[in-house]
Amino acid sequence: MCNDCLQGGNKMGMQISAASILNRAYSGNVSYKDENYRKNSSNHDVVGADRKAMIRALQRLEKLDFSSTDEDDTKSIYNTVKSYLDIYNNAVASTTDSESSDIRRTGKAMRSLMKDYSSKLEAIGIELKSDGSVKIDKSELQKATTRQVSAVFGNSDYIDGMNKLMKKLRNQVNREAPHQEVVSDSKVKDTLVAETVGSNLNLYG
């Protein structure tokens, strides 16, 4: 059996759950995970919270060790990818609903970038929906290999492309709110302690 399969096991380690990763990505803006709270907030604030969460999530993707065969590492890969896609879906929704044509265009570029990897995503159980969001088949993602997952989420072109869009979105959000403090991406860096990532994505907490 291949070493990089994301299959299950019983080993417990220092992995962090997808829910915890999501909470940390929205650090300082945790309420924006809640659908009702998002609906009752200004779209500008929701876009801003999603953008910051996307930055943290992308930074976390960059820390993953896709070459590891340790079970905790593969758990971390699964949980990180799952939380990233939840944040991506939030960002797609908020940018689509924006009154700003510039923000809507950036959202469209996000969806276009994801579409560039549609075949690789489908191979690991991630379906692109007509509205640009994604739907995860958890069982298929758990069957994927770390090599397959890294073809998108360990791909520097994908990460760099999405980071550039987040920088553009930062400028657009700040232009819409000139009296708000401009927050640099360096202040939003993920401070999570690196976890022991495992070789099987099927072990998620």
Side-chain angles (χ1 to χ4, degrees):
M1 189 168 291
C2 62
N3 288 332
D4 61 348
C5 288
L6 306 180
Q7 56 195 6
N10 296 316
K11 180 179 176 181
M12 300 299 293
M14 295 294 293
Q15 74 278 1
I16 302 176
S17 70
S20 295
I21 294 171
L22 193 64
N23 283 338
R24 295 188 182 197
Y26 278 99
S27 178
N29 300 284
V30 176
S31 296
Y32 288 98
K33 297 186 309 164
D34 180 76
E35 187 61 30
N36 288 329
Y37 188 89
R38 293 169 67 86
K39 288 178 180 178
N40 293 316
S41 301
S42 74
N43 174 265
H44 176 272
D45 290 343
V46 176
V47 171
D50 290 342
R51 184 196 70 81
K52 292 175 184 177
M54 280 287 291
I55 292 170
R56 293 186 176 109
L58 288 164
Q59 289 168 348
R60 189 171 184 85
L61 286 177
E62 290 183 285
K63 294 178 181 179
L64 294 175
D65 182 2
F66 290 98
S67 66
S68 175
T69 58
D70 183 85
E71 289 180 1
D72 283 334
D73 283 346
T74 53
K75 290 177 190 178
S76 179
I77 291 171
Y78 175 88
N79 289 337
T80 300
V81 169
K82 171 67 171 60
S83 62
Y84 169 75
L85 292 174
D86 286 343
I87 296 165
Y88 169 82
N89 281 345
N90 284 346
V92 165
S94 62
T95 55
T96 298
D97 291 341
S98 176
E99 295 181 0
S100 165
S101 59
D102 287 339
I103 289 175
R104 290 198 303 273
R105 275 194 293 270
T106 299
K108 183 177 180 180
M110 288 172 57
R111 302 193 298 273
S112 178
L113 176 58
M114 190 69 89
K115 189 175 181 179
D116 288 343
Y117 294 84
S118 59
S119 61
K120 291 181 173 63
L121 290 168
E122 289 171 5
I124 58 176
I126 299 171
E127 173 191 354
L128 285 176
K129 298 168 67 176
S130 59
D131 63 359
S133 64
V134 298
K135 179 179 179 181
I136 305 171
D137 184 326
K138 294 181 180 179
S139 63
E140 288 300 310
L141 180 55
Q142 289 167 3
K143 293 176 187 176
T145 67
T146 51
R147 187 171 302 173
Q148 286 177 302
V149 176
S150 70
V152 180
F153 302 109
N155 187 308
S156 59
D157 289 338
Y158 175 84
I159 300 292
D160 290 347
M162 199 63 76
N163 271 320
K164 288 178 182 177
L165 291 175
M166 291 305 102
K167 290 178 180 178
K168 181 181 292 187
L169 189 58
R170 176 196 61 196
N171 294 333
Q172 292 163 347
V173 168
N174 286 332
R175 280 201 301 271
E176 294 294 321
H179 299 300
Q180 292 189 358
E181 178 187 2
V182 177
V183 181
S184 68
D185 287 342
S186 63
K187 292 183 180 179
V188 194
K189 285 189 176 178
D190 185 11
T191 56
L192 297 181
V193 176
E195 46 193 82
T196 345
V197 188
S199 64
N200 301 321
L201 287 196
N202 206 12
L203 322 163
Y204 337 123

